[in-house]
């Protein structure tokens, strides 16, 4: 056993050296013509849902939902989220009904065989702003705005070695919201001298798939009114909508972490019992 | 399943009645209670049991997920999301299954490395080793097809790339690819058959596992010294000794498993797989699941033609060769000594091989450009050299360390000065309670 | 080494029992999600109430809506149908209980308790599933002018009460309420 450990130690040291040498070679591309994106890695934010005891801040989710409803939803669908789940944001049944009724949902066919429109009910899902993906693309310069249901899990900037190893221990799983926040607050910077920005796109050094993106800066200070006195800044909007999107992508996050705590506590106790039993059983046998 | 004589004596009338008609209790007793195991097994030897429990766990979670999954390209992605959002405990079962696959491979790699370190493949355990290699192959097929089912971007493009390997085969390549896909590209027929096969293969794995355990119980387990069992004092009974030790190791393994499932369930996955499959848009970097990365690196390391073999076919051959070479390991190793404990040079090359395999895995996750290609080529070279050069040559020229005469002697030497009762004298299965 | 010979056997037993018990508890807790996943999921439960517009139903007309995957008959009964049903005395009935989820379980099967109640006697809302083996009865047919099940010949009267045939119970009345004069919410 000791020898295995020694071997493992030597192994990890050698690995660290070789990988360190390798990642050093990654640097050194020109500022005007970057080949790897994003140009800047997103800043790591503090989230209430991070860590082993993380849970969503309902106030923040409600604010984020407001930002989604008043800003993002003009272009971005959220097909997988049902109105009924909004009760997890702290809304009452009546409030959920009222929110659902603000949306128009296509239903049918009726007895005459026609499709018809009616106000939404809690069991409906958020309707798309465009009838289909082609229409969405046509209205947005050829690039359909992505659905937002899973956006917070579908985006994440690579952490690189050795950071990804540490992430296992720190439980870093907020790459999605960090990225969304960084992207939303990353507009308005001067591109480096000599960098060509294609017509109709907007420079953003945090964009994961290029130097610029088709989406114009979507939000500005004081665009959405907060009732609870929270500052109405782009930074705050971005935090809130990122948290909301994390909830939309992973609604059972808090339940998952709470279950995890009990499971791990049980495994530790059971583990100690089994270890003592094992010691007792093997006591008379040298091995 | 035990090669030795049975010591099972039914105590009750019903026990005798069953034993005379279908001696299943006798089989269980002989295989999992009285079965003698070397007394000096360390925790590296607990991974067989861990793998058995992981197979059961994957089948159980898989069957319940199949109750909610729909194998249709228009519905598959949403069906998985419905499991994650609406089905009771669905998120738990799905994360158990997806992370369980990773844990399964993690355990199998330790199991394989343990076999390579202690020479577990050497005569008379060649068949045992080959059966294990077959299980590993089946696991890879199952894992690959399972990753296609959520029908995300990585599912689709991973399937496209991997089935594309077959087009490298001269003459019949395209025909085989279309046969696998049921079309000209990955589409609904592909998803449907992958689901059917993903459901079938684990049961085939279970069948081969039975053969693997059977073969194991005929020849008996190896042990860290590599010396065969010579007398009763070399062994202890499977129950309670091995069962409780395996049980403790399993719990530690479950702790790791739970850490991933409950706190970082998407750590080992790729964000792009939360984007529905789009046949018209390839992701920037296609990467397979982490457990395939070393082979992916080997595939991409062959960037040059080798005589009449072009680089595409060369890459595919190298990749499959990297797995195929495992099958002939029993005949590549020429050493008369089984365990690396007594082979100082082999030990060094072995650990280099472990580093090399992990390094290849990391390279597999990098884009195939610049210095990464050259590094992958060097690492691939060592991968094959370890099997084809080091194993045969080292066995002939290496001077092994002095070995003890028996397991008991090794144990006593280790515990020198301490208390070392011969196992058989004080411990028998009856002492457990 | 000699220490374990002096260990109290009951302490050793205690360790083994505690370990075994913890194992059983763990296995039991682990089994729960596997059973839990079979229960109706959140999207199914969300559909457990439907709102129906009945403004277009004149007396003598029926409407069938799907509720929890089953048909619900909503009938605006004619005065004649109501009269016939009211005349039936309880001891003529095969099942004397109302089977109305809006009332107590021992409510008698008189016509008022089968219908939507005082002032709304013309409205009959019930789950259109034969209480025998689950077929859907045909409306305004059979000996009693109510419903007739083609599978095994059960006949229901104009209040949906079983009168003849193998079915054991009156057709069930689900939880429902009028949220306005023309709108019924089932569930």
């Amino acid at each position: 056993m000791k020898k295995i450990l020694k071997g493992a130690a030597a192994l990890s040291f050698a690995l660290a050296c070789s990988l360190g040498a390798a990642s050093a070679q990654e640097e050194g591309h020109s500022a005007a013509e970057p080949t790897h994106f994003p140009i800047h890695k997103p800043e790591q934010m503090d989230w209430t849902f991070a860590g082993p005891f993380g849970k969503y801040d309902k106030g923040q989710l409600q604010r984020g939902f407001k930002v989604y409803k008043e800003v993002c939803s003009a272009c971005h669908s959220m097909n997988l989220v049902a109105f009924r789940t909004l009760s997890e944001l702290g809304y009452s049944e009546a409030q959920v009904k009222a929110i659902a009724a603000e949306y128009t949902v296509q239903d049918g066919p009726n007895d005459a065989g026609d499709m018809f429109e009616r106000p939404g009910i809690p069991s409906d899902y958020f309707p798309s702003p465009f009838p289909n993906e082609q229409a969405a693309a046509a209205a947005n310069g050829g690039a359909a705005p992505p659905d937002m249901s899973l956006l917070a899990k579908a985006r994440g900037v690579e952490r690189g070695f050795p950071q990804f190893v540490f992430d296992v221990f720190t439980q870093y799983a907020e790459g999605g919201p960090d990225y969304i926040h960084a992207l939303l607050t990353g507009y308005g910077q001067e591109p480096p001298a000599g960098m060509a920005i294609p017509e109709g796109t907007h420079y953003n050094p945090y964009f994961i798939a290029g130097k610029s993106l088709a989406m114009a800066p979507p939000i500005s200070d004081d665009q959405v009114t907060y009732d609870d006195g929270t500052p109405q800044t782009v930074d705050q909007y971005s935090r809130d909508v990122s948290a909301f999107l994390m909830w939309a992508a992973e609604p059972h996050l808090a339940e998952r972490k709470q279950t995890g705590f009990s499971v791990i506590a049980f495994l530790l106790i059971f583990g100690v019992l089994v270890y003592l039993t094992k010691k007792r059983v093997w006591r008379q046998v040298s091995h | 399943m035990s090669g030795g004589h049975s010591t099972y004596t039914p105590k009750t009338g019903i026990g005798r009645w069953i034993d005379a008609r279908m001696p299943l209790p006798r089989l269980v007793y002989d295989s999992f209670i009285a079965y003698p195991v070397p007394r000096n097994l360390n925790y590296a030897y607990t991974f067989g049991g861990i793998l058995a429990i992981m197979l059961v766990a994957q089948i159980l979670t898989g069957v319940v997920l199949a109750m909610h999954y729909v194998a249709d390209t228009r519905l598959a992605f949403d069906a998985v999301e419905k499991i994650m959002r609406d089905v009771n405990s669905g998120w738990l079962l799905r994360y158990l299954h997806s992370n369980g696959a990773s844990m399964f491979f993690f355990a199998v790699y330790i199991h394989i490395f343990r076999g390579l370190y202690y020479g577990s493949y050497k005569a008379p355990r060649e068949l045992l080793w080959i059966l294990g290699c077959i299980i590993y192959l089946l696991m890879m097929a199952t894992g690959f097809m399972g990753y296609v089912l959520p029908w995300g971007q990585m599912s689709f493009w991973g399937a496209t790339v991997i089935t594309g390997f077959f087009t490298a085969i001269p003459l019949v390549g395209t025909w085989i690819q279309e046969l696998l896909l049921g079309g000209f590209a990955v589409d609904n027929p592909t998803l449907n058959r992958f689901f059917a096969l993903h459901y079938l293969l684990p049961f085939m794995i279970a069948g081969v596992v039975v053969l693997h355990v059977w073969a194991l119980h005929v020849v008996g387990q190896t042990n860290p010294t590599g010396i065969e069992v010579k007398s009763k004092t070399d062994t202890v009974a499977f129950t309670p000794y091995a069962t409780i030790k395996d049980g403790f190791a399993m719990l530690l393994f479950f702790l790791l498993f739970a850490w991933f499932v409950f706190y970082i369930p998407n750590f080992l996955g790729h964000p792009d797989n939360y984007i529905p499959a789009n046949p018209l848009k390839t992701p920037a970097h296609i990467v397979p699941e982490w457990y395939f990365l070393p082979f992916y690196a080997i595939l991409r390391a062959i960037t040059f033609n080798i005589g009449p073999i072009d680089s595409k076919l060369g890459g595919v051959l190298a990749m499959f060769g990297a797995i195929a070479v495992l099958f002939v390991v029993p005949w590549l190793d020429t050493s008369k000594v089984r365990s690396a404990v007594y082979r100082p040079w082999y030990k060094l090359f072995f650990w280099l091989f472990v580093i090399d395999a992990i390094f290849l895995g990391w390279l597999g996750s990098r884009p195939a450009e610049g210095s990464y290609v050259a590094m992958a080529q060097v690492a691939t070279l060592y991968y094959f050299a370890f099997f084809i050069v080091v194993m045969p040559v080292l066995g002939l020229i290496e001077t092994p360390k002095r070995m003890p005469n028996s397991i008991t002697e090794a144990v006593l030497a280790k515990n020198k000065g301490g208390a070392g009762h011969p196992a058989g004298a004080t411990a028998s299965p009856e002492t457990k309670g | 080494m000699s220490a374990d010979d002096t260990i109290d056997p009951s302490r050793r037993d205690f360790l083994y029992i505690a370990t075994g018990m913890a194992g059983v508890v763990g296995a039991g807790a682990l089994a729960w999600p596997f059973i839990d996943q079979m229960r109706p999921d959140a999207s199914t439960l969300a559909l457990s109430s439907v709102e129906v517009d009945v403004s277009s139903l004149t007396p003598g007309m029926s409407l069938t809506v799907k509720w929890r995957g089953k048909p619900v008959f909503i009938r605006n009964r004619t005065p004649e149908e109501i009269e016939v049903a009211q005349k039936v005395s309880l001891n003529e009935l095969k099942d004397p209980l109302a089977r109305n989820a809006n009332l107590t379980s021992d409510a008698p099967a008189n016509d008022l308790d089968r219908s939507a109640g005082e002032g709304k006697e013309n409205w009959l809302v019930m789950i259109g599933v034969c209480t025998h083996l689950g077929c859907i009865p045909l409306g305004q047919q059979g000996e009693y002018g109510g419903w007739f099940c083609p599978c095994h010949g059960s006949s229901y009267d104009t209040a949906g009460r079983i009168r003849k045939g193998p079915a054991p119970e009156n057709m069930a009345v689900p939880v429902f309420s009028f949220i306005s004069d023309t709108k019924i919410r089932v569930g």
Side-chain angles (χ1 to χ4, degrees):
Chain A
M1 196 66 206
K2 230 183 251 166
K3 278 176 190 160
I4 292 177
L5 286 178
K6 249 192 256 167
L11 178 152
S12 41
F13 177 72
L15 190 73
C17 293
S18 54
L19 293 191
S23 55
Q25 295 181 337
E26 264 187 282
E27 311 305 324
H29 46 71
S30 89
E33 282 309 318
T35 49
H36 291 86
F37 301 105
I39 297 167
H40 299 324
K41 294 210 167 190
E43 187 195 343
Q44 213 169 308
M45 311 295 295
D46 278 329
W47 301 105
T48 60
F49 48 85
F53 303 106
K55 46 169 80 77
Y56 293 115
D57 170 357
K58 285 184 181 173
Q60 183 175 42
L61 293 189
Q62 292 197 4
R63 293 195 302 271
F65 172 56
K66 197 157 191 236
V67 174
Y68 169 76
K69 195 168 67 168
E70 294 179 16
V71 183
C72 318
S73 69
C75 301
H76 292 273
S77 59
M78 200 163 62
N79 292 330
L80 297 169
V81 179
F83 295 120
R84 60 184 152 82
T85 56
L86 291 176
S87 61
E88 293 161 29
L89 270 52
Y91 292 116
S92 70
E93 201 184 323
Q95 283 173 308
V96 171
K97 274 193 155 174
I99 292 167
E102 287 171 29
Y103 288 81
T104 307
V105 174
Q106 199 184 46
D107 201 349
N110 61 14
D111 293 343
D114 299 321
M115 301 304 281
F116 59 93
E117 292 192 329
R118 59 164 176 79
I121 54 170
S123 59
D124 287 324
Y125 291 76
F126 276 89
S128 304
F130 300 102
N132 51 55
E133 208 186 315
Q134 283 76 5
N140 289 283
D147 184 81
M148 279 192 163
S149 321
L150 282 164
L151 203 64
K153 285 203 285 185
R155 298 288 184 280
V157 175
E158 213 177 290
R159 301 276 282 174
F161 182 86
Q163 188 60 49
F164 81 88
V165 181
F166 303 148
D167 288 347
V168 173
F169 301 98
T170 60
Q171 300 185 351
Y172 179 74
E174 290 77 38
D178 280 347
Y179 170 74
I180 294 168
H181 173 266
L183 184 82
L184 290 175
T185 53
Y187 284 100
Q189 300 187 21
E190 248 342 276
M195 180 187 277
I197 302 296
E199 187 83 16
T201 66
H202 308 268
Y203 174 72
N204 190 328
Y206 295 96
F207 183 48
I208 200 167
K211 52 197 175 189
S212 60
L213 71 165
M215 178 169 76
I219 198 165
S220 50
D221 287 349
D222 288 322
Q223 190 175 338
V224 177
T225 311
Y226 280 161
D227 309 324
D228 60 356
T230 311
Q232 297 177 166
T233 60
V234 168
D235 179 68
Q236 188 62 41
Y237 291 147
S238 307
R239 282 168 201 256
D240 294 346
V241 83
S242 302
F244 170 72
L245 290 176
M246 189 67 210
W247 168 80
E250 186 82 354
H252 296 296
L253 178 141
E255 186 191 353
R256 188 185 82 215
K257 292 186 173 184
Q258 280 158 12
T259 314
F261 181 75
S262 333
V263 168
I264 288 190
F266 170 78
L267 286 175
L268 284 174
I269 294 167
F270 190 33
V272 168
L273 283 171
V274 171
Y275 179 70
L276 292 175
T277 308
K278 187 244 155 196
K279 277 197 75 147
R280 191 65 54 76
V281 166
W282 280 85
R283 179 162 272 175
Q284 298 180 31
V285 186
S286 58
H287 52 281
Chain B
M1 279 197 247
S2 168
H5 63 281
S6 177
T7 54
Y8 177 66
T9 40
K11 290 186 183 75
T12 62
I14 296 170
R16 278 187 293 276
W17 187 89
I18 294 172
D19 192 49
R21 284 156 182 82
M22 189 195 64
L24 182 65
R26 176 182 297 274
L27 180 76
V28 171
Y29 181 86
D30 292 345
S31 310
F32 301 106
I33 294 173
Y35 175 70
V37 293
R39 60 193 281 189
N40 59 337
L41 298 184
N42 57 33
Y43 278 101
Y45 283 81
T46 60
F47 281 86
I50 288 170
L51 284 162
I53 201 114
M54 284 312 295
L55 177 62
V56 172
Q58 286 302 88
I59 289 180
L60 284 178
T61 50
V63 167
V64 295
L65 287 173
M67 292 182 192
H68 303 280
Y69 177 73
V70 188
D72 182 311
T73 52
R74 289 164 304 176
L75 303 170
F77 188 88
D78 289 359
V80 173
E81 273 309 307
K82 190 173 168 132
I83 293 171
M84 293 295 292
R85 289 160 190 272
D86 290 342
V87 171
N88 301 298
S89 311
W91 60 268
L92 173 61
L93 295 164
R94 197 259 174 147
Y95 278 150
L96 279 174
H97 197 70
S98 59
N99 285 285
S102 286
M103 292 297 136
F104 203 158
F105 274 96
F106 176 64
V108 90
Y109 284 129
I110 295 182
H111 195 61
I112 293 171
F113 280 130
R114 190 270 290 155
L116 286 173
Y117 187 81
Y118 291 119
S120 305
Y121 45 82
K122 290 170 91 78
R125 295 183 181 82
E126 302 95 324
L127 262 185
L128 176 62
W129 174 263
I130 288 173
L131 286 166
C133 293
I134 292 173
I135 293 171
Y136 176 50
L137 259 187
L138 287 171
M139 277 174 65
M140 291 176 99
T142 311
F144 158 63
M145 286 189 281
Y147 196 53
V148 177
L149 301 186
W151 205 246
Q153 275 287 68
M154 279 297 160
S155 301
F156 182 89
W157 292 99
T160 301
V161 168
I162 293 192
T163 52
F165 294 163
F166 294 91
T167 59
I169 303 168
L171 302 175
V172 292
T174 307
W175 188 84
I176 293 177
Q177 190 208 22
E178 286 172 10
L179 183 82
L180 289 170
L181 296 179
F184 304 106
V186 176
D187 207 337
N188 206 45
T190 323
L191 180 62
N192 253 301
R193 67 192 56 188
F194 278 15
F195 179 51
L197 292 171
H198 182 70
Y199 207 120
L200 168 71
L201 289 187
F203 294 97
M204 290 177 66
I205 293 175
V208 185
V209 166
V210 170
L211 300 180
H212 191 65
V213 173
W214 185 8
L216 172 73
H217 284 203
V218 169
V219 294
Q221 275 173 296
T222 57
N223 63 81
T225 65
I227 305 160
E228 291 289 349
V229 169
K230 286 175 180 159
S231 70
K232 243 192 127 178
T233 62
D234 289 346
T235 64
V236 289
F238 188 86
T239 302
Y241 297 99
T243 35
I244 193 71
K245 193 166 181 172
D246 283 358
F248 179 59
M250 273 172 207
L251 277 175
L252 292 183
F253 193 78
F254 287 160
L255 270 171
L256 176 76
F257 190 9
W259 186 270
F260 275 86
V261 167
F262 293 107
Y263 296 125
I264 41 173
N266 295 305
F267 181 81
L268 297 167
H270 197 289
D272 277 0
N273 226 28
Y274 281 111
I275 303 171
N278 182 351
L280 302 178
K281 194 167 174 248
T282 309
H285 299 295
I286 301 180
V287 263
E289 286 280 74
W290 69 267
Y291 38 83
F292 294 135
L293 286 173
F295 301 103
Y296 195 56
I298 291 174
L299 170 87
R300 298 187 307 178
I302 310 299
T303 51
F304 44 85
N305 298 347
I306 310 160
I309 303 169
D310 68 1
S311 60
K312 181 178 177 183
L313 180 59
V316 172
L317 287 178
M319 191 191 67
F320 282 113
I323 303 161
V325 73
L326 290 172
F327 282 81
V328 289
V329 159
W331 296 276
L332 287 174
D333 187 354
T334 53
S335 172
K336 292 201 165 53
V337 176
R338 189 174 276 138
S339 168
V341 172
Y342 305 102
R343 300 181 62 192
W345 281 101
Y346 178 77
K347 198 189 276 179
L348 176 71
F349 283 108
F350 169 84
W351 285 113
L352 272 178
F353 176 72
V354 174
I355 295 166
D356 187 62
I358 296 173
F359 186 50
L360 274 170
W362 182 73
L363 287 170
S365 75
R366 304 286 89 203
E369 57 189 31
S371 54
Y372 295 129
V373 178
M375 286 192 278
Q377 285 165 346
V378 173
T380 302
L381 191 70
Y382 181 73
Y383 182 98
F384 283 103
F386 174 75
F387 291 108
I388 296 168
V389 181
V390 173
M391 276 198 164
V393 175
L394 198 61
L396 300 175
I397 60 172
E398 188 181 28
T399 316
K401 287 197 214 162
R402 200 194 71 80
M403 291 172 64
N405 292 314
S406 72
I407 295 171
T408 309
E409 192 190 299
V411 170
L412 292 180
K414 201 179 89 182
N415 297 318
K416 227 177 327 194
H421 293 292
T426 54
S428 61
E430 282 73 32
T431 58
K432 65 177 167 173
Chain C
M1 191 47 98
S2 58
D4 53 281
D5 301 331
T6 59
I7 277 181
D8 181 2
S10 67
R11 248 185 69 197
R12 194 167 53 193
D13 289 346
F14 173 76
L15 177 62
Y16 292 153
I17 290 168
T19 308
M21 294 280 273
V24 170
V25 168
L30 185 64
W32 175 243
F34 290 82
I35 299 160
D36 189 34
Q37 55 88 21
M38 300 252 243
R39 294 189 303 122
D41 68 31
S43 62
T44 308
L45 295 175
L47 296 172
S48 60
S49 83
V50 289
E51 289 175 11
V52 192
D53 184 0
V54 294
S55 56
S56 61
L57 290 186
T58 54
M61 283 177 74
S62 304
L63 183 82
T64 305
V65 293
K66 202 166 115 179
W67 176 67
R68 289 186 171 174
K70 292 175 184 170
V72 168
F73 296 153
I74 300 174
R75 182 163 176 80
N76 190 347
R77 298 187 294 171
T78 60
E80 299 79 54
E81 286 175 337
I82 301 168
E83 208 188 322
V84 172
Q86 281 172 342
K87 277 186 186 152
V88 182
S89 77
L90 282 180
N91 49 24
E92 283 177 68
L93 294 173
K94 184 172 173 184
D95 176 14
L97 296 176
R99 308 288 171 193
N100 186 336
N102 305 288
L103 304 172
T104 54
S105 59
D106 57 354
N110 55 46
D111 188 64
L112 184 70
D113 285 350
R114 291 284 301 163
S115 72
E118 210 85 53
K120 295 213 181 281
E121 290 92 341
N122 56 326
W123 291 104
L124 183 63
V125 178
M126 60 186 187
I127 298 172
V129 172
C130 180
T131 57
H132 180 219
L133 291 169
C135 295
I136 299 171
L138 305 167
Q140 288 66 58
Q141 285 187 31
E143 255 178 82
Y144 297 87
W147 284 265
F148 174 73
C149 181
C151 290
H152 305 94
S154 294
S155 286
Y156 297 86
D157 66 14
T158 54
R161 296 173 295 200
I162 181 68
R163 304 299 293 273
K164 197 178 169 190
E169 288 177 12
N170 303 327
M171 275 195 266
V173 178
V175 172
F176 73 96
S177 58
F178 276 85
I179 46 178
S180 72
D181 276 352
T182 58
K183 228 170 185 189
I184 297 178
R185 182 167 74 174
V186 183

